[in-house]
């Protein structure tokens, strides 16, 4: 802003503001001020003057004071002695007795294009361009070696002798002439260089004595201490990004103290490379100095980028508190033991009843509820859909938040399974007053051309509850789940008589009319008994549901195995709701058919194939990218050559490689989309297999939760961690713990590192073995105290696969007998079972 201010700060009491008397002088110089220095800049006198550097001007001022007659009456004036108008835009400057002159200081200004301009007080001496300069760096002058030290854009510390600068070719004659080519004039040669590998923020030179000095360079990540000849004395790697520094001589002989400010509002004091002190500042310092103010030595003066000037000192305020003496008494260890046992008992009782932390009424803080509209939106909110149908419906969901106390930083996040999409999934409220209700609404619709693995959505609210001790609030989370209607992804369709995949679910109650279970998916018939119903998913696949008139069975069939899941799950949920309304509590479903593991394994192989293809495509893309850059380097070398050479079809090769890179990138994107769709179908099939295992073995809710955690550990695949290796590790853990046969299996350690397998044979073997152990009476639990007896006979389709060669040899006879006894179940496939259920007409 062009303001020059001179301060004489006085110590103030804590809490008092700045005093007006501290400001001695304030002058508006109009031009922006780049740098201020104090030295002997006026000829004929050795008094100190003020040098102010502007972008296009250098001004020298004298500062004088007039003693006033009353208190606070002293007046200070500033007078311009002379100025230099610069032909080039200035960056920074340094001063000193260049060339060893006595009684005066010369000024060297570095321009933005790398030119050094030397001024001998009122006159301009010469200008020199630094070789290879691109961007200017910090500049300092060493009086002991009479040289200028800077850091170039090549990230090198460079030193130039003043004598070499003075006798080098003039900057005004930078263009080479015929006479210079013959050898007249001297070339500017660097004295020494040191590559530090980073840009520098500042340079400072500290002299121990007349015989030695050190060059300190502050980098972006390190600070360096160099000798006069450019050799490294020591360096220190910094933990935080620095903003300024100041080296000064230490009281210890041969060491240097350094003040380093960083962007974390910290000031660190180092003795060489050892951290001696760290203190917190109220601002980020951009400049730091040490001075003596009002007989107080060692005052640290810091300046922030917004003009905050602070004078401080190291140390702590003395504490006047003195702890009173405590009367000593003899300890009774028996009483202490008794008291300790009582306290331990109280702690144990509290932990048993409430857990480690005391229970709090979180539900009273914020209540969240979700309501799904029973009808579609009058105007569909679906946009940019990939489904082939003409109109994709959308349904509105409303989330209501009711809080009893004041809350802040409320963030509502809603998640549904892809390819379902939300019109808005993030809502933020800065503050909610007590007894306040907020309702937000959004629409859900199907975007992709495949079926989602679940119709359940989840709304999670994170918020902070302020307390007396913590005004910022204690972070808490609450959530609620909502279920989307089946008609959002499915339409009524024509039933199909034949299908590739079929499932039969048995119940213990009389069959229910499908019209009662699925209203809106079939027209009411004459006898009010609809025993067959068709479903047409928006993605194109079809599913048929048949209910037996006489037996208590339901059949679901489809051309795609994974499409059976949604209808099967919806059927069981609606049957449970139907019988609950009737007041019947002992309703149960079961599954006694062969476990469809082969169909499940085909989906696993299909998903794993896309992962393998993705790795191959990325490897090819990397090779083509390397080839593309190599051709670019060759072409660039040809174009830079002064003697043109033929391209030898390098341009054609570059164009062909570019087309290959684009084609491979498109193939990688297409494979990623296919992998995502395959993973979604795999999740649907996994849900179905878990459901069938639970119905088959009548597993409890806790055992079903263990199965889901083992089979569905990931929301999506990543290049670092995939579904196959994660599930294989989880199932192997179950087989080694709660489903193990003996203690030897429990002693086996699993690999702690997960990597992509070569194939899926090991995973399929472990899944089959899991079903085998469950069929023989194994039960899922989190403890390994007891191994359940395995006496049950497994159904067909789940033949035992040995885990080791020893088990394989010992089970040859048993497995042969098992396959013989269940041959009709193993060879039986859903394709061969085309006859309808008893009492169900085709």
């Amino acid at each position: 802003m062009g303001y020059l201010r001179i301060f004489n700060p006085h110590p103030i009491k804590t809490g008092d503001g700045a005093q007006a008397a501290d400001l001695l002088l304030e002058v508006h110089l109009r031009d922006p001020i780049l740098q201020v220095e104090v030295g002997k800049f006026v000829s004929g006198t050795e008094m100190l003057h003020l040098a102010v550097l502007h972008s296009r001007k250098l001004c020298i001022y004298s500062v004088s004071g007039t003693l006033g007659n009353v208190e606070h009456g002293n007046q200070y004036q500033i007078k311009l002695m002379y100025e230099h108008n610069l032909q080039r835009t200035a960056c920074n400057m340094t001063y000193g007795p260049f060339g060893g002159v006595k009684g005066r200081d010369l000024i060297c200004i570095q321009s933005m294009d790398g030119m050094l301009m030397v001024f001998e007080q009122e006159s301009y001496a010469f200008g020199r361009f630094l070789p290879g300069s691109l961007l200017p760096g910090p500049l300092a002058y060493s009086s002991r070696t009479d040289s200028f030290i800077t850091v170039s854009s090549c990230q090198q510390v460079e030193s130039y002798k003043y004598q070499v600068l003075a006798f080098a070719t003039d900057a005004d004659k930078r263009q080479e002439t015929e006479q210079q080519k013959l050898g007249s004039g001297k070339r500017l040669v660097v004295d020494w260089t040191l590559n530090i590998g980073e840009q520098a923020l500042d340079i400072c030179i500290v002299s121990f004595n007349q015989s030695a000095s050190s060059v300190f360079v502050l980098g972006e990540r390190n600070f360096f201490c160099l000798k006069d000849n450019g050799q490294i004395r020591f360096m220190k790697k910094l933990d935080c990004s620095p903003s300024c520094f100041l080296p000064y001589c230490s009281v210890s002989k041969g060491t240097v103290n350094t003040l380093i400010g960083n962007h974390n509002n910290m000031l660190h004091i180092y003795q060489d490379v050892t951290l001696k002190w760290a203190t917190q500042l109220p601002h980020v310092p951009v400049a730091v100095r040490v001075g003596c103010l009002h007989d107080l030595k060692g005052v640290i003066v810091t300046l922030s980028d917004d003009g905050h000037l602070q004078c401080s000192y190291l140390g702590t305020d003395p504490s006047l508190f003195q702890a009173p003496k405590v009367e000593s008494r003899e300890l009774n260890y028996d009483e202490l033991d008794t008291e300790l046992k009582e306290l331990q008992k109280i702690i144990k009782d509290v932990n048993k009843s409430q857990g480690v932390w005391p229970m709090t009424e979180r539900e009273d803080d914020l209540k969240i509820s979700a309501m799904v509209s029973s009808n579609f939106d009058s105007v569909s909110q679906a946009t940019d859909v990939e489904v082939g149908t003409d109109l994709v419906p959308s349904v509105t969901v409303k989330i209501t938040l009711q809080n009893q106390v004041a809350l802040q930083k409320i963030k509502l996040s809603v998640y549904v399974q892809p390819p379902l999409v939300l019109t808005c999934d993030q809502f933020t409220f800065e503050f909610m007053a007590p007894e306040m209700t907020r309702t937000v609404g959004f629409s859900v619709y199907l975007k992709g051309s495949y079926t989602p693995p679940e119709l359940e959505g989840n709304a999670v609210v994170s918020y902070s509850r302020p307390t007396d001790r913590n005004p910022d609030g204690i972070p808490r989370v609450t959530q609620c789940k909502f279920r989307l209607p089946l008609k959002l992804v499915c339409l009524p369709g024509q039933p199909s008589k034949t299908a590739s995949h079929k499932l039969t679910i048995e119940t213990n109650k009389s069959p229910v009319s499908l019209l009662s279970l699925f209203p809106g998916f079939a027209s009411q018939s004459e006898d009010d008994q609809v025993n067959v119903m068709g479903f047409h998913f928006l993605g194109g696949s079809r599913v048929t549901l048949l209910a037996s008139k006489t037996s208590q069975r339901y059949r679901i069939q489809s051309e795609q195995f994974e499409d059976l899941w949604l209808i099967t799950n919806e059927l069981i949920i609606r049957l449970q709701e139907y019988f609950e309304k009737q007041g019947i509590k002992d309703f149960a479903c079961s599954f006694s058919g062969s476990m469809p593991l082969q169909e499940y394994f085909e989906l696993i192989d299909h998903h794993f194939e896309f992962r393998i293809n993705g790795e191959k495509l990325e490897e090819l893309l990397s090779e083509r990218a390397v080839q593309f850059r190599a051709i670019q380097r060759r072409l660039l070398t040809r174009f830079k050559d002064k003697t043109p050479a033929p391209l030898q079809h390098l341009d054609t090769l570059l164009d062909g490689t570019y087309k290959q890179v684009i084609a491979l990138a498109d193939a990688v994107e297409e494979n990623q989309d296919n992998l995502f769709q395959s993973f979604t179908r795999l999740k649907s099939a996994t849900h179905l297999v878990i459901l069938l295992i639970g119905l088959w073995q009548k597993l409890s809710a806790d055992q079903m939760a263990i199965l889901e955690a083992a089979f569905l550990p990931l929301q999506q695949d990543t290049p670092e961690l995939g579904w196959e290796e994660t599930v294989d590790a989880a199932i192997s853990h179950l087989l080694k713990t709660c489903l193990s046969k003996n203690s030897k299996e429990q002693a086996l350690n699993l690999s702690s590192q997960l990597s992509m397998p070569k194939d899926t044979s090991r995973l399929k073997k472990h899944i089959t073995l899991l079903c085998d152990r469950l069929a023989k009476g194994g039960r899922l639990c989190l403890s390994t105290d007891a191994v359940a007896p395995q006496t049950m006979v497994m159904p067909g389709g789940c033949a035992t696969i040995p885990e080791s060669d020893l088990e394989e040899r010992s089970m040859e006879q048993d497995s042969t007998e098992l396959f013989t006894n269940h041959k009709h179940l193993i060879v039986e496939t859903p394709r061969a079972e085309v006859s309808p259920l008893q009492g169900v007409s085709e």
Side-chain angles (χ1 to χ4, degrees), residues 147-268:
S147 58
F148 295 98
I149 300 172
T150 184
V151 177
S152 67
S153 53
C154 300
Q155 302 179 349
Q156 293 187 135
V157 183
E158 300 177 351
S159 175
Y160 297 93
K161 291 283 188 180
Y162 176 74
Q163 297 296 333
V164 176
L165 286 171
F167 288 101
T169 304
D170 196 352
D172 297 334
K173 303 173 184 177
R174 194 180 186 186
Q175 301 294 331
E176 292 185 354
T177 60
E178 292 296 329
Q179 186 177 4
Q180 288 173 343
K181 290 181 180 178
L182 295 176
S184 65
K186 291 189 177 181
R187 186 163 168 260
L188 182 57
V189 181
V190 65
D191 186 23
W192 54 261
T193 62
L194 175 67
N195 191 346
I196 60 174
E198 57 182 316
Q199 296 295 334
L201 303 179
D202 199 1
I203 296 178
C204 191
I205 298 172
V206 176
S207 298
F208 296 105
N209 47 50
Q210 295 297 326
S211 61
S213 65
S214 295
V215 179
F216 284 82
V217 181
L218 179 65
E220 294 174 334
R221 294 174 297 274
N222 307 274
F223 83 91
F224 306 83
C225 178
L226 314 179
K227 297 181 181 179
D228 291 336
N229 56 2
Q231 297 178 355
I232 295 181
R233 193 186 302 272
F234 63 81
M235 65 172 290
K236 174 67 177 178
K237 181 174 177 61
L238 303 175
D239 297 330
C240 304
S241 176
S243 58
C244 60
F245 86 136
L246 175 70
Y248 60 94
C249 291
S250 172
V251 293
S252 301
K253 188 176 181 181
T255 62
V256 175
N257 286 1
T258 308
L259 295 170
I260 298 182
N262 58 44
H263 287 88
N264 289 353
N265 296 8
M266 295 290 292
L267 186 67
H268 290 172

Side-chain angles (χ1 to χ4, degrees), residues 357-372:
W357 299 102
M359 297 296 291
T360 58
E361 297 294 334
R362 293 190 178 183
E363 291 76 8
D364 293 342
D365 293 347
L366 181 67
K367 293 182 180 180
I368 177 174
S369 58
M371 185 185 71
V372 182

